[in-house]
Amino acid sequence: MMSLRSTLPVLLVVALLVFEERVSSPSCQVVEDRGSSPEEGRKGGSSDDFKVMMVANLLLMGSESGYMNIYFRDSYMTKFFRKSFERLKPDMLVVLGDISAKGSELTSNKWLSVLQQFQRILGPFLDLPLHVVLGDRDVGECNRLKVKSVNQIASSLPGLDPAGCGSFVVSNISFVSLNAVALLCGNNDLRFSIERVIEGESLDLSRHAKGTTVLSNSPTEWKNDIGDFHQRENAVESESGPVLLLHFPLHWNIDHCGGHKSLAENIGSSLHQSSSTYLNWGYVGDGPHEVLLSMPPNATEYIFQALRPRIVFSAHTHQFCYHTHRDGTREVTVPAMTWNAKDDPGFVIATFRQNDAVIVTQCSLARESHVLMAYASVLALLLSTMLMAAKSHFWNLA
């Protein structure tokens, strides 16, 4: 009996270490495997596959992090990234906005501390290609959005132009990322810069459309019929364009995805600010909730006509959602990969195959409440064992 009591604390510590190792590993399931043959699925992919790990809403605090973040959440986030890298072996990492919890309010030195925290957490991902999309917490809402501050933040992140957009090709896959925050902000210089990026990509898509199906033989022309956006109509077939990376989801019926509805719980009282706050976003749509959750219909239609995206990856809602738009374009909304946003973090793996198939895999991570419960249980058992040992020692002395 005494031997069991003396070894129980060691057994509990070993059990906790094993538990930590297991809960830091992601649990993944394929959501969509369009375009792959059954034989390819059974083989488990090809060496030519290109895997991109999509994460979002890290909400880092940098030098303003409290003890809970520094000694607990950041430690587990580092383990999450390491175990995900070891198990899934991605070829690239994409962050779909909101690296910082309040980057738009930070000084240059404090923003640098956020980037340093981000690098510490990434671990083995530092050796992979990395692309970061700007989110509203990074650059601010429309009433705070400044060209100079966006330029400064964009210059500190890989692959972004001064307006916060990016265009690149990796493994013959074309990607375009847009500063979606600026597209919500009415008629301002920054939004016009984003439109110029979209128009340039649209022209490139038209020039390289020889091998694609064209919807009509009419010449490409300027159109002005989508709200106040001025875009060049693209006659290329849907899903023939680049992979589109955004922070805000494109517009759809918000009842379609449970994640859109539950965002109100995550951002709390910010939904109940005065209506004048929402007018700063330029487009109010059906109400303030819709503005905070997705791009407006006019901006969405503008993007679809100009870019014909192959697939869209977005974030902001903190929830996973898989949606097919009316023209057949798929959009994947990536959940938050942090306990600072909600209790069940996660991410997405997009596998691009040489036959143009895109496999979408949803990965979930451990709930913070489960981890804390395990720690509390082990601590209670340790205290109980120590108390029993103390009582036994006291009675032996008596």
Side-chain angles (χ1 to χ4, degrees):
M1 184 69 175
M2 290 296 295
S3 176
L4 178 60
R5 286 178 183 172
S6 62
T7 58
L8 185 56
V10 177
L11 292 175
L12 288 174
V13 171
V14 171
L16 184 60
L17 292 174
V18 173
F19 171 79
E20 280 190 324
E21 189 68 14
R22 291 191 63 181
V23 298
S24 59
S25 298
S27 174
C28 300
Q29 62 176 356
V30 174
V31 177
E32 172 71 4
D33 192 354
R34 185 190 296 187
S36 294
S37 66
E39 290 76 14
E40 287 176 319
R42 284 193 291 270
K43 290 177 182 177
S46 162
S47 59
D48 294 328
D49 291 349
F50 188 75
K51 286 185 179 181
V52 181
M53 183 171 169
M54 307 275 185
V55 304
N57 303 92
L58 298 178
L59 304 179
L60 303 178
M61 298 290 290
S63 59
E64 297 187 0
S65 297
Y67 288 107
M68 182 70 168
N69 285 324
I70 294 173
Y71 296 109
F72 180 64
R73 288 174 175 159
D74 283 6
S75 174
Y76 262 95
M77 188 61 58
T78 303
K79 292 176 183 176
F80 287 158
F81 272 104
R82 177 177 59 82
K83 296 297 289 185
S84 300
F85 180 85
E86 292 172 355
R87 177 178 172 183
L88 301 169
K89 296 179 172 54
D91 301 298
M92 181 179 180
L93 177 67
V94 169
V95 184
L96 293 166
D98 286 356
I99 283 184
S100 172
K102 48 182 180 180
S104 60
E105 304 172 18
L106 301 180
T107 63
S108 297
N109 287 338
K110 289 185 177 180
W111 174 253
L112 179 60
S113 73
V114 169
L115 296 180
Q116 290 171 339
Q117 181 185 13
F118 179 51
Q119 289 181 333
R120 289 195 301 270
I121 288 173
L122 284 187
F125 282 89
L126 287 173
D127 294 329
L128 295 184
L130 168 69
H131 187 78
V132 180
V133 179
L134 294 181
D136 56 308
R137 288 178 181 262
D138 298 319
V139 296
E141 298 179 359
C142 291
N143 57 341
R144 295 181 181 177
L145 198 64
K146 306 296 182 185
V147 173
K148 182 178 179 181
S149 61
V150 170
N151 290 351
Q152 289 176 341
I153 292 174
S155 66
S156 66
L157 298 172
L160 294 182
D161 65 16
C165 298
S167 176
F168 55 96
V169 177
V170 184
S171 189
N172 294 322
I173 302 164
S174 177
F175 294 86
V176 170
S177 73
L178 300 177
N179 180 355
V181 183
L183 284 175
L184 294 172
C185 296
N187 296 325
N188 63 78
D189 291 340
L190 193 58
R191 200 198 81 175
F192 295 146
S193 296
I194 313 304
E195 288 190 46
R196 285 193 289 272
V197 170
I198 294 174
E199 297 303 336
E201 293 297 327
S202 181
L203 287 171
D204 287 343
L205 180 61
S206 298
R207 291 193 197 102
H208 295 90
K210 277 190 174 182
T212 62
T213 303
V214 176
L215 296 179
S216 74
N217 294 322
S218 59
T220 304
E221 58 183 9
W222 286 98
K223 305 286 284 185
N224 294 311
D225 57 354
I226 302 180
D228 57 349
F229 288 95
H230 302 275
Q231 112 288 347
R232 185 182 296 272
E233 186 178 29
N234 203 322
V236 178
E237 185 182 46
S238 294
E239 299 183 88
S240 299
V243 177
L244 182 60
L245 308 174
L246 300 165
H247 177 66
F248 283 96
L250 296 175
H251 179 80
W252 66 67
N253 182 352
I254 61 175
D255 289 337
H256 176 87
C257 254
H260 283 66
K261 283 182 154 183
S262 64
L263 180 62
E265 300 171 6
N266 295 321
I267 58 180
S269 61
S270 65
L271 286 174
H272 304 292
Q273 299 172 13
S274 65
S275 59
S276 61
T277 300
Y278 301 108
L279 295 178
N280 290 325
W281 289 77
Y283 178 90
V284 177
D286 296 330
H289 290 213
E290 190 169 357
V291 170
L292 288 174
L293 298 178
S294 64
M295 299 288 290
N298 57 345
T300 297
E301 187 63 25
Y302 167 56
I303 289 171
F304 278 153
Q305 289 197 18
L307 297 181
R308 308 294 190 193
R310 175 180 177 181
I311 189 171
V312 180
F313 292 94
S314 58
H316 186 67
T317 67
H318 299 172
Q319 298 272 359
F320 174 83
C321 184
Y322 186 94
H323 176 71
T324 302
H325 291 273
R326 286 182 300 174
D327 68 344
T329 303
R330 293 162 292 162
E331 179 170 0
V332 179
T333 305
V334 178
M337 191 178 171
T338 176
W339 286 329
N340 283 324
K342 57 198 310 291
D343 195 29
D344 52 343
F347 60 93
V348 165
I349 291 287
T351 304
F352 297 90
R353 291 191 163 172
Q354 295 302 309
N355 62 355
D356 291 335
V358 181
I359 303 171
V360 177
T361 303
Q362 179 190 5
C363 296
S364 301
L365 302 173
R367 290 176 176 266
E368 184 177 38
S369 57
H370 293 175
V371 176
L372 291 175
M373 193 179 301
Y375 275 108
S377 300
V378 170
L379 180 60
L381 286 171
L382 280 172
L383 291 175
S384 176
T385 303
M386 292 170 65
L387 182 60
M388 290 173 63
K391 283 183 177 180
S392 176
H393 181 67
F394 174 78
W395 288 112
N396 287 337
L397 290 176

